[in-house]
């Protein structure tokens, strides 16, 4: 399916005489946010979460796919990118004399729409004869949020060496430099997260779990790595099922039945929030609660699904997320934002109209609006409780912030290159008037800087950052607001046994509002004095406990066999140790003594 990105390039080139002319694929779609600069950076985010009219065969023109379900969190990512660009443009140290611009597109969580946005960023809208002289109108792209969409973008941009930096795509497959030579990210790979989840499950003693994944590259690859790591940790999986938002409701109900009939009390969900939201609501409808959920970063801090209804099902969920951060000035920037009605820069209009219940289109131009009043221009987001201005969890926003600054630092290295000391052929530097994306790509591999909030940013050979996570816990405050409380940290760079660091003085809430860690085992541990007897056809976590036979013992928990006592010893009453056999002495006055000594004394008397 992902090869569609490769096939679409055939649509880019059209022969006219002997010249190649670039044509934008499918539609001349307008961006959601745009501002021209000396150098432009592209952005692709899923401002809407539900693509409609999708042809599963991917044979439909992507222009026929529409989106609905506005996600204010994705708007936050776009505005964080804009905020960082404005900071950079106002800096006298970073890129002095150079103005950065941006073009940001909506993609939904859809491969066709993500590729369409990629092609729009790569090509001009017009078809002048020299269009192919400069294929790219941007020198780097920030996005996307989901791994599946990011794969489509990276495959589209890769052949043209245009850097793609994701703030949220974690699929380990994206670390393959042969497949994705221009991909970078500011969030750790799932390779680390999957292993960390297995260690987390073992850390809390959960050896019997269920597994749910999104049926996508993100979910399938992440869960495959988790299952391998869990097996090494001695964790058994009772069931493993895949879900996707386009699955029929019948399948979601079957998954609910699987969960209801299972004996495991812990569910590990390696899923996108949009997919899991559907399943959680079906579980709530059947009152399936009280299970302990363990989540991947794809949903564990996804504000879009953090509703009271969902909380009733996944209360006390724990999982890994990007480290939270406070970005000075970002909240004020978001609260002061105002919508534009300029074509190509109307990305805030829908949110504005939804928050204030007014229309930015004059009534004379929109009679169908009926009684909806026209916005006065005096509205302010400062007076609202909009999710758009909520920066209490700025972990992914911080990743967008770091990604934008990474591009700026790469460009800064390019512009400050000294003639004769450059990295290119004959020690040359890039021509500042005709910068190529592949040159920016080279400098991205060299960036190593610290942001103003203290985050060190660099990329390894695979384009990945250092693997560090916050362990978060779903909690609810007195007002009913759902918190993603940080209860610990995980650092993959530390030695084995030192990677987990639980936050001192922070109390976790578990399933059913319990304060004690729940248990989830297939079989209770076999105590000393017994041995495990594995059940044919069941995982090794499921077994019976057999008491050691007389003359045998076991002195450890979950012993696989009972050992025999030495000849002079016998097993004690609890069968967990051996005691010396008692030696009994007989006297001549006892019947047994007389019987045993008689045959010996008789011959002696006869001889005399």
């Amino acid at each position: 399916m992902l090869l569609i990105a490769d096939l679409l390039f055939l649509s880019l080139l059209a022969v006219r005489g002997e010249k190649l002319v670039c044509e934008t694929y499918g539609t001349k779609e307008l961006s959601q946010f745009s501002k021209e600069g000396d150098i432009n950076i592209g952005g692709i985010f899923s401002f809407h979460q539900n693509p409609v009219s999708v042809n599963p065969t991917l044979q439909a023109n992507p222009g026929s796919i529409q989106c609905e379900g506005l996600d204010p969190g994705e708007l936050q990512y776009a505005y964080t990118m804009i905020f960082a660009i404005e900071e950079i443009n106002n800096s006298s140290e970073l890129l002095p004399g150079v103005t950065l611009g941006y073009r940001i597109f909506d993609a939904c969580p859809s491969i066709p729409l993500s590729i369409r946005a990629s092609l729009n960023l790569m090509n001009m809208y017009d078809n002048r004869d020299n269009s192919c002289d400069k294929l790219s109108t941007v020198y780097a792209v920030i996005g996307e949020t989901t791994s599946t969409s990011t794969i489509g973008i990276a495959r589209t941009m890769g052949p043209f060496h245009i850097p793609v930096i994701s703030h949220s795509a974690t699929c380990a497959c994206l670390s393959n430099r042969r497949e994705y030579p221009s991909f970078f990210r500011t969030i750790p790979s799932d390779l680390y997260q999957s292993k960390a989840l297995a260690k987390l499950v073992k850390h809390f003693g959960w050896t019997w779990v269920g597994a749910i994944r999104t049926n996508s590259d993100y979910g399938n690859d992440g869960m495959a790595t988790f299952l391998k790591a869990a097996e090494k940790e001695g964790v058994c999986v009772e069931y493993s099922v895949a879900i996707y938002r386009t699955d029929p409701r019948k399948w979601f109900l079957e998954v609910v039945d699987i969960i209801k009939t299972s004996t495991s009390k812990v569910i590990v969900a390696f899923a996108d929030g949009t997919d899991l939201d559907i399943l959680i609501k079906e579980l709530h409808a059947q009152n399936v609660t009280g299970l302990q959920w363990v989540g991947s970063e794809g949903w564990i801090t996804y504000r879009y699904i953090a509703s009271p209804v969902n909380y009733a099902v996944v209360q006390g969920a724990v999982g890994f997320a990007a480290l939270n951060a406070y970005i000075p000035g970002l909240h004020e920037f978001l609260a002061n934002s105002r919508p534009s009605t300029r074509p190509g820069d109307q990305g805030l209009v829908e949110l504005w109209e939804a928050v204030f219940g007014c229309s930015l289109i004059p009534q004379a131009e929109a009679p169908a609006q009926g009684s909806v009043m026209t916005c006065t221009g005096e509205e302010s987001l400062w007076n609202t409780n909009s999710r758009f201005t909520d920066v209490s969890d700025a972990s992914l926003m911080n990743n967008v912030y770091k990604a934008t600054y990474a591009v700026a630092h790469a460009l800064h290295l390019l512009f400050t290159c000294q003639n004769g000391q450059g990295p290119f052929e004959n020690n040359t530097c890039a021509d500042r008037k005709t910068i190529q994306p592949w040159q920016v790509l080279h400098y991205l591999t060299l960036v190593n800087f610290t942001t103003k909030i203290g985050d060190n940013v660099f990329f390894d050979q695979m384009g990945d950052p250092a693997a560090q996570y916050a362990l978060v816990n779903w909690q609810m405050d007195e007002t009913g607001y759902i918190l993603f409380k940080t209860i610990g940290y995980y650092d993959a760079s530390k030695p084995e046994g030192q990677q987990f660091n639980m936050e001192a003085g922070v109390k976790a809430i578990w399933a059913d509002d319990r304060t004690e860690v729940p248990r989830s085992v297939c079989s209770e541990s076999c105590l000393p004095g017994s041995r495990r007897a594995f059940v044919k056809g069941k995982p090794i976590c499921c077994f019976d406990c057999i008491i050691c036979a007389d003359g045998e013992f076991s002195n450890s928990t979950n012993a696989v066999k009972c050992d025999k006592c030495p000849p002079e010893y016998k097993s004690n009453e609890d069968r967990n140790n051996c005691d010396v056999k008692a030696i009994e002495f007989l006297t001549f006055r006892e019947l047994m003594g007389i019987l045993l000594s008689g045959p010996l004394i008789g011959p002696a008397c006869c001889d005399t």
Side-chain angles (χ1 to χ4, degrees):
M1 182 174 68
L2 294 176
L3 290 178
I4 187 174
D6 302 324
L7 297 176
L8 290 178
F9 291 120
L10 298 176
S11 303
L12 291 174
L13 303 177
V15 178
R16 294 183 182 176
E18 295 182 358
K19 278 197 167 186
L20 296 177
V21 179
C22 294
E23 296 182 62
T24 302
Y25 176 77
T27 178
K28 297 176 181 180
E29 180 192 17
L30 294 177
S31 59
Q32 295 292 308
F33 303 98
S34 64
K35 183 178 182 180
E36 288 298 313
D38 300 325
I39 293 178
N40 291 329
I41 302 175
I44 303 177
F45 303 101
S46 295
F47 299 131
H48 298 83
Q49 289 298 308
N50 303 316
V52 294
S53 301
V54 177
N55 187 323
T57 63
L58 299 182
Q59 294 176 349
N61 186 328
S64 66
I65 301 174
Q66 304 298 322
C67 301
E68 60 184 17
L70 184 68
D71 185 354
E74 296 283 327
L75 287 173
Q76 284 182 320
Y77 303 151
Y79 263 79
T80 301
M81 176 179 166
I82 296 171
F83 171 74
I85 287 175
E86 292 197 6
E87 271 193 349
I88 294 164
N89 287 340
N90 292 327
S91 172
S92 59
E93 298 180 357
L94 190 60
L95 290 176
V98 178
T99 301
L100 295 181
Y102 51 86
R103 291 176 62 201
I104 303 175
F105 283 83
D106 186 7
C108 285
S110 163
I111 295 176
L113 295 184
S114 298
I115 294 174
R116 183 177 72 180
S118 303
L119 296 174
N120 275 316
L121 288 171
M122 290 169 59
N123 298 282
M124 294 290 187
Y125 289 134
D126 57 349
N127 291 318
R128 296 172 296 179
D129 290 342
N130 63 350
S131 293
C132 282
D133 292 342
K134 187 179 181 182
L135 270 177
S136 175
T137 60
V138 297
Y139 293 90
V141 174
I142 310 297
E144 226 261 34
T145 302
T146 66
S147 292
T148 301
S149 295
T150 303
I151 287 171
I153 297 170
R155 299 201 77 163
T156 305
M157 298 288 190
F160 295 96
H161 308 291
I162 302 172
V164 177
I165 311 178
S166 176
H167 59 289
S168 178
T170 57
C171 181
C173 59
L174 285 163
S175 296
N176 187 332
R177 268 292 183 249
R178 180 173 297 179
E179 292 280 339
Y180 311 101
S182 66
F183 178 75
F184 299 83
R185 53 182 154 201
T186 51
I187 191 168
S189 163
D190 279 339
L191 179 65
Y192 302 102
Q193 181 183 193
S194 298
K195 293 179 180 179
L197 284 173
K199 292 180 183 295
L200 175 69
V201 169
K202 182 62 179 293
H203 176 79
F204 288 115
W206 301 323
T207 58
W208 187 233
V209 302
I212 296 172
R213 68 188 185 277
T214 286
N215 193 8
S216 66
D217 300 279
Y218 167 73
N220 292 330
D221 290 357
M223 183 56 72
T225 304
F226 168 78
L227 293 177
K228 291 180 182 178
E231 184 178 3
K232 292 181 180 179
E233 296 290 343
V235 176
C236 297
V237 178
E238 182 179 10
Y239 59 86
S240 180
V241 293
I243 58 173
Y244 196 68
R245 65 204 69 172
T246 56
D247 289 338
R249 183 167 183 256
K250 180 181 177 181
W251 171 242
F252 281 97
L253 293 178
E254 287 183 23
V255 174
V256 171
D257 288 338
I258 292 172
I259 295 173
K260 288 170 63 177
T261 58
S262 67
T263 59
S264 55
K265 303 301 180 184
V266 173
I267 299 176
V268 178
F270 214 107
D272 286 325
T274 305
D275 304 315
L276 197 63
D277 183 50
I278 302 172
L279 176 61
I280 293 175
K281 284 181 169 54
E282 294 292 353
L283 289 167
H284 183 268
Q286 298 192 36
N287 197 31
V288 183
T289 60
L291 298 173
Q292 180 62 49
W293 289 75
V294 180
S296 64
E297 49 69 41
W299 68 273
I300 198 66
T301 57
Y302 188 32
R303 182 59 63 183
Y304 187 77
I305 68 170
S307 64
V309 168
N310 289 354
Y311 184 79
V313 177
V314 299
Q315 178 186 34
V318 293
F320 292 114
L323 298 176
N324 202 357
Y326 169 71
I327 305 174
L330 178 60
H331 176 259
E332 292 77 10
F333 182 79
L334 295 173
N336 288 326
S337 299
R338 303 196 66 80
S340 166
T341 56
R342 177 174 60 84
D345 194 33
Q346 299 181 5
L348 202 61
V349 169
E350 184 178 351
L351 174 75
W352 198 268
E353 292 180 341
V355 170
F356 297 107
C358 61
S359 173
L360 286 165
I361 303 175
Q363 291 294 309
E365 298 180 27
Q369 294 291 326
S371 60
V372 178
M373 64 179 183
T374 303
C375 299
T376 64
E378 300 298 323
E379 299 89 2
S380 172
L381 292 173
W382 280 102
N383 303 321
T384 67
N385 292 321
S386 170
R387 181 184 157 209
F388 175 71
T389 58
D390 181 7
V391 295
S392 58
D393 176 23
S395 54
L396 293 183
M397 285 180 268
N398 188 40
N399 285 351
V400 174
Y401 185 78
K402 291 188 289 188
T404 308
Y405 264 90
V407 175
H409 277 272
L411 289 168
H412 187 80
L413 291 174
L414 185 150
F415 278 108
T416 56
C417 176
Q418 299 295 318
N419 289 327
Q421 301 177 18
F424 307 122
E425 188 177 3
N426 298 323
N427 297 324
T428 58
C429 299
D431 186 344
R432 300 180 184 181
K433 296 181 180 179
T434 58
I435 298 173
Q436 300 297 317
W438 64 267
Q439 295 168 328
V440 180
L441 174 63
H442 167 78
Y443 282 108
L444 265 174
T445 64
L446 305 178
V447 297
N448 192 333
F449 63 95
T450 301
T451 66
K452 66 180 182 181
I453 61 175
D455 290 338
N456 183 222
V457 180
F458 64 91
F459 304 104
D460 64 16
Q461 293 180 343
M462 302 301 176
D464 294 329
Q468 296 177 325
Y469 300 99
L471 179 61
V472 300
N473 179 219
W474 275 45
Q475 300 184 12
M476 182 179 285
D477 65 12
E478 299 80 4
T479 66
Y481 183 77
I482 298 171
L483 304 172
F484 305 133
K485 189 75 171 179
T486 298
I487 60 172
Y489 298 94
Y490 180 85
D491 188 343
S493 64
K494 291 186 176 181
E496 191 76 24
Q498 302 179 24
Q499 296 168 330
F500 275 110
N501 180 25
M502 302 304 291
E503 190 86 307
V506 177
K507 183 179 294 185
I509 298 297
W510 305 100
D512 268 350
D513 201 28
R514 290 175 294 198
T515 56
E516 294 183 356
V517 179
R519 289 177 52 78
S520 183
V521 296
C522 182
S523 300
E524 294 294 339
S525 298
C526 293
L527 299 176
S530 63
R531 63 176 178 84
R532 289 187 292 176
F534 296 104
V535 181
K536 187 176 181 180
K538 289 191 176 183
I540 61 172
C541 300
C542 302
F543 47 82
D544 295 324
C545 295
I546 307 298
I547 301 297
C548 293
D550 190 20
E552 297 180 345
F553 76 101
S554 68
N555 57 8
S556 62
T557 303
N558 287 330
V560 295
K561 67 174 184 176
C562 295
D563 297 317
K564 289 185 177 298
C565 294
E568 298 81 11
Y569 291 79
K570 65 176 182 179
S571 53
N572 62 7
E573 184 178 351
D574 294 330
R575 301 290 198 271
N576 59 9
N577 207 343
C578 293
D579 296 335
V580 178
K581 291 180 179 178
I583 301 177
E584 296 185 7
F585 296 93
L586 301 177
T587 68
F588 292 111
R589 293 189 180 92
E590 294 179 354
L591 178 61
M592 186 60 67
I594 296 171
L595 293 175
L596 291 176
S597 61
L600 297 175
I601 299 173
C605 296
C606 293
D607 289 341
T608 58

